[in-house]
Amino acid sequence: MRLTALLLGVAAIATPAMAQQAPAPAADDQGDTHAQTPTQIVVTAAFNRDRADIISGVSVLQGQELAQSIRPTIGETLDRTPGVSATSFGPNASRPVLRGLQGERVRILTDGIGAFDVSNTSADHAVVIDPLLAERIEVLRGPATLLFGSSAIGGVVNVIDKRIPRVVPDEIAHVDAMATYGTAADERSIGAAVDVPVGKQFVVHADGSYLKTGNLRVGDYVLAPSARAVALANAGTETQEQLDEGIDFARNASLKGRLPNSAAETWTAGVGAALITDTGNIGVSYSHYDSLYGIPTRYAIRPGEEQEAPRLDVAQDRVDLRAEVETGGGFLKSIKARAGFASYRHFELEPDGAIGTAFYNKGLEGRVELVQADRGAWKGASGVQYFARDFNVIGDEAFLPKNSTQQLGLFTLQQLDLGALKLEGGARYEHTVLEAKPLPDQPQFFNGKRTFDTVSGSAGASYGFADGWRFGVNLSRTVRAPSAEELFANGPHAGTQAFEVGNPDFRTERAWGLEGVLRGSGPGYTLEASVYHNWFDNFIYESLTGAVEDGLPVFQFTQGKARYYGFELQGTVTLAKLGGFDVVADGVADYVHAKIEGVGPAPRIPPLRLLGGLGLKGEKVDVRGEVEWSDSQPRLANFETPTASFTLVNAEVNFRPWGNERPLSFALSANNIFDVDARRHASFLKDFAPLAGRDIRVSARVSF
């Protein structure tokens, strides 16, 4: 209630002041709805910043590059971004993995506010954000992540859309639309958004999207070679219970060409409206998300193993608010408010369509940011953030009790620009309360409350040692409260094929992080490199105990010391000019090494990856080919299997009939041209669900 009153107060202050102003030009593009934020400007923070000045690794996807990358999930959309892999739990549930960290250590946002789904609870739960409607996606690490929570220790993925308008169109209506067809899953998708001005200061918005896919085509056998070998070795030893359920090891080993139970159908719809003036804006939106998707079957390959083909029926209703007012004062430049509320549920369906397990989640998040007036070289922002979640699981596979999370955070980010030398620091305090509320017939669960108070901080400096070149170093100390899943779990979790046991006595997870960043650019080239090292204390991870409960191996959440280090490298260079075309080469490399002290390698860590491309860029046509090589991963936790290396060859052509003067473009791409068997080590399902085989994609994108 206090948060609501605060947000309403901001709106009340902003609205009268804005109503007296002249029609609004947009802050960055002066009212041009066709203009895009330049990729060198990063907007995921309280104030826009030049990418060259950010003292940590950062990636931005927008425009044609985003259109070429879009897939049904955020994880697959970002999988070629430096330092990013994906959980790849089939084609419909794939969450980003940043520098080997996933789940609770990565925050996925929509326009600065959480997704309010349960994708952090399990890798088989989809992120409820539609990439089709994304205008821009930013991946950010370093001091600025403290603005969004200590759980962003791995980084922040912010998906920015236009659902709450930022610009009053200077035309009768502004339309953005995109349609795609992909052969690998018979994928048909379309997304569109329209903004209509009502008067000179008010704009209304509507959007929608639709996606339908069949079962994914794969390049070879469904089962990985090691899993096939086990299944064939056990052929004919099926238990009577397995035979009654139709389980046949030899048949499972022979599956090839298509990934069963991987089809999906998803639709979204949203409306919004905003009042926009030259001193601020206020807007609201409502959206609905609805999806029915299959999870690839984890096939039985040993006597006694079960085999399920789950489908998830997901729905979410969400309301959002954004407000900003320029105060014109000597101390504050502006006040920003952002809030969202969502009611989410998903049903895990049995083969006959009956509901097996139901997940319910209600989430509220709000933040108010006070942006300071620039004082010479000094700029900064501070604020307050509140988050609340009520979560419940009902059914035979309820591995968590009913629980609630409430978190209040205070944060600040400060910068000092001394020319060649730039300094940056951030700090965050969080008060977190987690409470388990099991039913009387659930004595296996902890019943009670845990409270945590944490302080995190980060400081960095960068130095411009030559024209266009800058080197930076940042040091961070992050303290994270355990999640409800890590504290209270005690039951069978079919999605990960594990009986998960949490520990309500966990202490806060603590990490020191050190990162160095080098960025440079000049005539015809760009380069960005980062190296990092994180030292964890009380690192929370799952360990295999050797026990079996409900037919599933028991995984106990445990705390220990861990070390994560690695590098990311990306660059482009113009090699030559041929007629009206530039010959451009680009490349990406990333690597992460992770170890739990006294135990061994951390699980599901992506291996070394190299990606190189060569293309022609012209006014109307771009042509590009690329090769992506992923190394094998022999460094394994005690419950993992090795992952083979693979090489993917891709090609694309982009065509703009009127060049950049009119925003109409067509794209044709061929992905995994040689139809290879590729599996990501970060995936729980890598031995049962390979990546897509050969996929020819055609898309059209228009903005008018």
Side-chain angles (χ1 to χ4, degrees):
M1 293 300 294
R2 293 178 180 176
L3 174 66
T4 304
L6 182 56
L7 292 173
L8 291 174
V10 172
I13 294 170
T15 304
M18 294 189 294
Q20 299 173 10
Q21 303 300 323
D28 295 320
D29 51 31
Q30 297 300 304
D32 183 2
T33 50
H34 299 278
Q36 285 192 334
T37 304
T39 54
Q40 69 268 22
I41 299 298
V42 176
V43 303
T44 303
F47 44 85
N48 295 352
R49 296 183 296 161
D50 192 314
R51 179 176 175 178
D53 295 337
I54 298 177
I55 315 171
S56 61
V58 62
S59 299
V60 178
L61 274 181
Q62 70 171 15
Q64 192 64 51
E65 185 180 8
L66 174 59
Q68 281 282 14
S69 300
I70 281 180
R71 298 295 185 272
T73 66
I74 293 296
E76 299 306 311
T77 297
L78 294 173
D79 74 319
R80 295 178 189 173
T81 305
V84 182
S85 185
T87 55
S88 299
F89 211 94
N92 305 310
S94 188
R95 184 180 166 103
V97 177
L98 305 186
R99 295 180 173 177
L101 299 170
Q102 55 180 289
E104 281 298 319
R105 300 181 183 94
V106 174
R107 284 221 69 189
I108 301 178
L109 310 174
T110 175
D111 198 16
I113 290 290
F116 301 131
D117 54 34
V118 295
S119 62
N120 65 313
T121 301
S122 177
D124 64 325
H125 300 162
V127 177
V128 183
I129 297 177
D130 186 1
L132 274 172
L133 299 174
E135 179 186 19
R136 179 181 175 95
I137 302 177
E138 296 184 349
V139 182
L140 188 64
R141 306 170 188 89
T145 63
L146 292 177
L147 273 67
F148 302 100
S150 61
S151 61
I153 186 172
V156 166
V157 176
N158 191 18
V159 182
I160 301 165
D161 59 31
K162 295 182 176 180
R163 187 158 279 160
I164 301 178
R166 292 178 171 83
V167 177
V168 178
D170 55 4
E171 50 209 331
I172 295 176
H174 177 77
V175 177
D176 295 293
M178 180 177 178
T180 298
Y181 177 75
T183 61
D186 191 24
E187 175 187 331
R188 293 141 285 168
S189 65
I190 185 168
V194 59
D195 292 285
V196 178
V198 180
K200 296 181 178 181
Q201 298 179 324
F202 195 72
V203 56
V204 295
H205 168 97
D207 63 57
S209 68
Y210 178 77
L211 164 76
K212 188 170 185 178
T213 72
N215 287 335
L216 184 70
R217 201 179 78 78
V218 297
D220 203 347
Y221 289 99
V222 170
L223 298 188
S226 59
R228 289 189 68 238
V230 173
L232 291 172
N234 287 320
T237 66
E238 295 88 350
T239 65
Q240 186 59 50
E241 183 179 358
Q242 287 176 318
L243 292 173
D244 292 342
E245 294 177 357
I247 294 175
D248 183 329
F249 295 154
R251 184 178 61 201
N252 290 350
S254 68
L255 290 170
K256 191 176 185 179
R258 289 282 175 182
L259 187 61
N261 202 51
S262 59
E265 185 172 17
T266 302
W267 66 272
T268 70
V271 293
L275 174 66
I276 304 171
T277 78
D278 58 358
T279 59
N281 61 80
I282 183 169
V284 296
S285 69
Y286 163 79
S287 60
H288 178 81
Y289 180 100
D290 196 291
S291 182
L292 176 64
Y293 67 91
I295 297 297
T297 306
R298 185 188 294 265
Y299 288 97
I301 59 177
R302 297 180 180 86
E305 290 184 346
E306 295 182 353
Q307 181 172 296
E308 296 182 356
R311 291 179 302 144
L312 272 65
D313 181 359
V314 180
Q316 184 192 70
D317 290 287
R318 175 176 176 135
V319 178
D320 284 272
L321 164 72
R322 187 180 66 235
E324 179 178 2
V325 59
E326 296 183 10
T327 64
F331 179 70
L332 290 181
K333 178 180 180 181
S334 63
I335 301 174
K336 298 181 178 182
R338 182 74 173 86
F341 170 81
S343 177
Y344 168 100
R345 64 95 177 130
H346 85 242
F347 301 139
E348 299 189 352
L349 305 179
E350 303 290 350
D352 62 359
I355 298 173
T357 305
F359 288 71
Y360 298 94
N361 188 70
K362 291 186 185 295
L364 168 69
E365 184 173 349
R367 54 190 297 115
V368 175
E369 299 171 354
L370 307 178
V371 182
Q372 300 157 206
D374 294 351
R375 298 277 183 168
W378 177 27
K379 69 167 60 175
S382 303
V384 59
Q385 178 178 0
Y386 177 77
F387 170 78
R389 181 183 86 155
D390 287 316
F391 179 68
N392 196 15
V393 187
I394 300 173
D396 294 336
E397 296 176 354
F399 64 99
L400 282 168
K402 183 178 181 181
N403 63 82
S404 65
T405 302
Q406 295 189 61
Q407 187 176 82
L408 179 67
L410 304 174
F411 57 83
T412 188
L413 178 68
Q414 303 294 321
Q415 291 183 328
L416 196 61
D417 186 347
L418 302 177
L421 177 65
K422 298 180 186 294
L423 306 176
E424 181 173 294
R428 184 179 184 92
Y429 163 77
E430 281 182 351
H431 176 73
T432 305
V433 179
L434 302 106
E435 185 174 6
K437 310 169 186 177
L439 299 175
D441 61 348
Q442 296 178 318
Q444 74 273 28
F445 292 122
F446 171 80
N447 188 347
K449 182 185 297 185
R450 290 297 313 276
T451 300
F452 300 91
D453 290 280
T454 62
V455 176
S456 302
S458 180
S462 69
Y463 183 73
F465 58 89
D467 186 26
W469 285 88
R470 181 169 290 274
F471 174 73
V473 177
N474 75 72
L475 175 68
S476 63
R477 173 64 167 170
T478 307
V479 184
R480 179 180 74 88
S483 69
E485 291 77 11
E486 294 162 338
L487 293 171
F488 306 140
N490 190 8
H493 192 175
T496 57
Q497 283 292 287
F499 191 99
E500 297 182 355
V501 181
N503 186 342
D505 295 324
F506 273 157
R507 294 173 293 176
T508 55
E509 182 178 273
R510 302 164 182 264
W512 284 100
L514 182 65
E515 181 175 5
V517 179
L518 174 67
R519 288 193 182 90
S521 63
Y525 71 88
T526 65
L527 177 67
E528 181 172 326
S530 61
V531 294
Y532 58 89
H533 197 136
N534 294 316
W535 295 264
F536 289 90
D537 289 313
N538 301 331
F539 182 77
I540 299 174
Y541 65 98
E542 288 185 287
S543 61
L544 184 64
T545 67
V548 176
E549 291 280 351
D550 291 351
L552 296 171
V554 176
F555 282 79
Q556 172 74 58
F557 283 99
T558 308
Q559 287 191 305
K561 293 181 179 293
R563 304 290 181 265
Y564 278 63
Y565 62 82
F567 69 84
E568 296 154 6
L569 178 67
Q570 60 181 315
T572 64
V573 59
T574 301
L575 301 175
K577 292 185 179 293
L578 296 177
F581 293 91
D582 291 337
V583 182
V584 179
D586 59 82
V588 168
D590 52 34
Y591 173 75
V592 59
H593 182 283
K595 178 181 179 181
I596 300 172
E597 298 291 339
V599 176
R604 293 180 286 276
I605 300 301
L608 172 67
R609 176 179 61 168
L610 304 175
L611 188 153
L614 182 65
L616 299 174
K617 287 191 174 183
E619 181 183 358
K620 295 183 178 181
V621 179
D622 301 330
V623 181
R624 181 177 177 275
E626 72 174 19
V627 177
E628 177 184 357
W629 174 77
S630 183
D631 198 4
S632 61
Q633 182 56 287
R635 300 190 70 254
L636 308 173
N638 63 350
F639 53 85
E640 289 187 293
T641 57
T643 305
S645 65
F646 61 84
T647 302
L648 303 179
V649 178
N650 312 308
E652 63 189 41
V653 178
N654 297 307
F655 176 51
R656 297 173 295 278
W658 293 283
N660 293 318
E661 294 181 4
R662 299 184 184 180
L664 171 66
S665 63
F666 302 93
L668 171 66
S669 64
N671 303 282
N672 192 2
I673 292 174
F674 296 107
D675 211 22
V676 304
D677 179 24
R679 300 170 191 268
R680 287 206 183 94
H681 191 73
S683 170
F684 280 84
L685 270 186
K686 67 182 182 64
D687 291 334
F688 304 90
L691 302 181
R694 185 182 299 111
D695 185 23
I696 309 301
R697 303 179 69 84
V698 181
S699 65
R701 186 167 175 260
V702 64
S703 179
F704 62 87

